Amino acid sequence: MRGKRSAQKPATVTSTSRPGPKAAPVVEFPEPLFTDWIDPGTFHDALALHMQRHGDSCWQLWRGIIRPGDTLNRHTIQNWVAGTRIPRTLSSLQMLGRIEHRYRLPEGYFRAMLPHQTRAPGGLKIKGVASSEQRRLAWHLPDDFNQRPLKERNDILAWVREHVLSGATDYRRFQAAAMKQRYAIRFPALTGRRSTGNIIPDGVDPDLLVAARDAPPGLAKEMADLVRFKTATLTTIGFRRSGVWNEETSAQKTEHLGLMFGALAAAPKGEVAGFGVPLADLSFGLLIFPTVWDWYVQWRERRRGFYTGWEADMLRLIGSLTRPETGWIRQTPRLAERLCPIPI
């Protein structure tokens, strides 16, 4: 005789929540855990630093900036922090802006640290437009271009084509004039770059393409010492630094400093309207004086008619070079030996 099978009660589910600690609530502006920091020299180090300052993991940061319809994967942020990838598309540059907003950093803070500044952003979506024209257009479109309504995108494209790419704008006229005014100082032993002719790639400062003179020996040695300090695997005994330059960053900073020294050496009454410092007197020691930077920033604005993120990037550079404990100029007192009075 079969026995009766006892009825089994179904297991009771006590909770539908996932195991583990609850995710922290998303806040727009997390409070920083510390307010003093030293800017690293690379994008991925800077991102990691400010995530640490605000107690964000990659997951928490992703939750804090993502919006409905966004395609950013949280693993992308992990790759940015690890330095295996960098933001290059319009959508990823838009995400950088949101991170800057979240951490209350200046607009363009992270973007200024990206390598390959002369490359146009990718990810532009314009049907029926050749890829070559899309690369030119990308320099002049907002980071959220792909998310804007179709009519607004068409209006922006029409304006850019008429006022920027037609060649009749004030800036295009400035580019044409800049190609004829050779003043920048070059450091061929460090960059190996020379003039590239009369074609100006979009996004490239035309002044960088027309370097006129090689740096004098004293200045060339100082620049070589700075590059060695910022690129060496280990610093010289007794020196401290914050951040390391890669090859691309080193070439970029060398060229930009060459522009500044060239402007300082150019004749005041010439087309360039420089500062008139004798070529042999150029030295990194000059860069500690606020008067020199005040003149140079205003000279850049007069020459172009507007300020750009370039000026802010240069001011950040001199801030890092003169910073107590880790600044190269601060740790190189011999630079004062080459200083000569300059009449104002």
Side-chain angles (χ1 to χ4, degrees):
M1 181 177 178
R2 288 184 174 180
K4 291 184 178 181
R5 184 179 297 175
S6 60
Q8 293 183 352
K9 293 183 179 180
T12 303
V13 179
T14 58
S15 174
T16 59
S17 61
R18 292 182 179 179
K22 280 189 175 183
V26 176
V27 295
E28 183 178 10
F29 299 115
E31 290 298 323
L33 303 178
F34 53 93
T35 55
D36 293 330
W37 77 88
I38 297 175
D39 275 338
T42 60
F43 162 71
H44 62 273
D45 285 337
L47 179 58
L49 167 67
H50 290 287
M51 288 173 61
Q52 180 188 7
R53 284 185 61 228
H54 294 84
D56 268 349
S57 64
C58 293
W59 165 252
Q60 189 70 7
L61 175 57
W62 179 82
R63 293 177 64 225
I65 64 172
I66 204 69
R67 305 285 185 273
D70 290 339
T71 58
L72 179 74
N73 190 295
R74 65 184 177 90
H75 296 295
T76 300
I77 297 179
Q78 292 177 333
N79 291 330
W80 290 351
V81 173
T84 56
R85 294 181 62 184
I86 56 174
R88 273 296 160 215
T89 64
L90 290 172
S91 59
S92 61
L93 293 175
Q94 184 184 9
M95 294 300 167
L96 282 192
R98 293 185 191 174
I99 297 174
E100 290 164 355
H101 176 77
R102 177 175 175 81
Y103 295 155
R104 287 171 280 196
L105 296 168
E107 183 179 353
Y109 171 84
F110 287 121
R111 191 165 183 169
M113 295 185 181
L114 295 177
H116 312 299
Q117 293 283 336
T118 58
R119 293 182 185 175
L124 193 60
K125 300 175 182 177
I126 310 177
K127 292 183 178 179
V129 177
S131 57
S132 58
E133 185 181 2
Q134 291 202 32
R135 286 193 295 270
R136 296 184 68 200
L137 289 167
W139 287 111
H140 312 287
L141 301 179
D143 293 343
D144 63 345
F145 177 83
N146 290 334
Q147 285 75 45
R148 299 198 179 202
L150 178 61
K151 183 181 184 306
E152 190 172 345
R153 280 181 280 162
N154 289 335
D155 290 343
I156 293 172
L157 287 175
W159 189 94
V160 169
R161 282 170 170 152
E162 179 182 355
H163 294 89
V164 178
L165 301 185
S166 67
T169 64
D170 288 341
Y171 188 65
R172 288 293 180 180
R173 284 190 285 270
F174 156 72
Q175 286 184 318
M179 293 296 293
K180 302 175 184 177
Q181 300 169 0
R182 300 175 179 268
Y183 73 91
I185 287 176
R186 59 184 168 232
F187 300 86
L190 297 173
T191 63
R193 303 188 187 185
R194 299 278 181 172
S195 175
T196 58
N198 295 321
I199 299 175
I200 308 174
D202 285 313
V204 175
D205 191 323
D207 288 333
L208 290 176
L209 306 180
V210 290
R213 295 173 288 184
D214 288 349
L219 183 64
K221 184 180 183 306
E222 291 175 357
M223 178 64 82
D225 290 346
L226 169 61
V227 170
R228 190 180 306 110
F229 170 79
K230 294 296 290 184
T231 59
T233 304
L234 298 174
T235 59
T236 303
I237 294 177
F239 280 75
R240 296 180 61 190
R241 71 180 174 192
S242 174
V244 179
W245 290 349
N246 59 27
E247 183 178 353
E248 185 68 25
T249 301
S250 175
Q252 180 194 79
K253 300 303 183 187
T254 300
E255 288 183 328
H256 287 180
L257 286 165
L259 281 181
M260 181 174 187
F261 285 120
L264 290 173
K269 295 184 179 180
E271 289 182 319
V272 177
F275 202 72
V277 179
L279 193 63
D281 292 343
L282 292 174
S283 168
F284 273 83
L286 293 172
L287 303 188
I288 67 171
F289 296 102
T291 302
V292 172
W293 285 93
D294 181 62
W295 175 86
Y296 186 54
V297 170
Q298 293 191 46
W299 177 85
R300 289 275 301 185
E301 193 274 337
R302 288 194 303 270
R303 183 168 169 80
R304 281 160 173 70
F306 51 86
Y307 288 116
T308 69
W310 190 96
E311 286 78 27
D313 186 45
M314 286 294 286
L315 291 174
R316 279 194 291 266
L317 171 62
I318 191 58
S320 68
L321 295 181
T322 56
R323 185 173 289 118
E325 297 186 0
T326 60
W328 176 74
I329 292 179
R330 286 266 192 167
Q331 300 176 84
T332 315
R334 59 178 171 77
L335 296 173
E337 298 173 4
R338 296 188 57 239
L339 283 175
C340 297
I342 301 172
I344 299 177

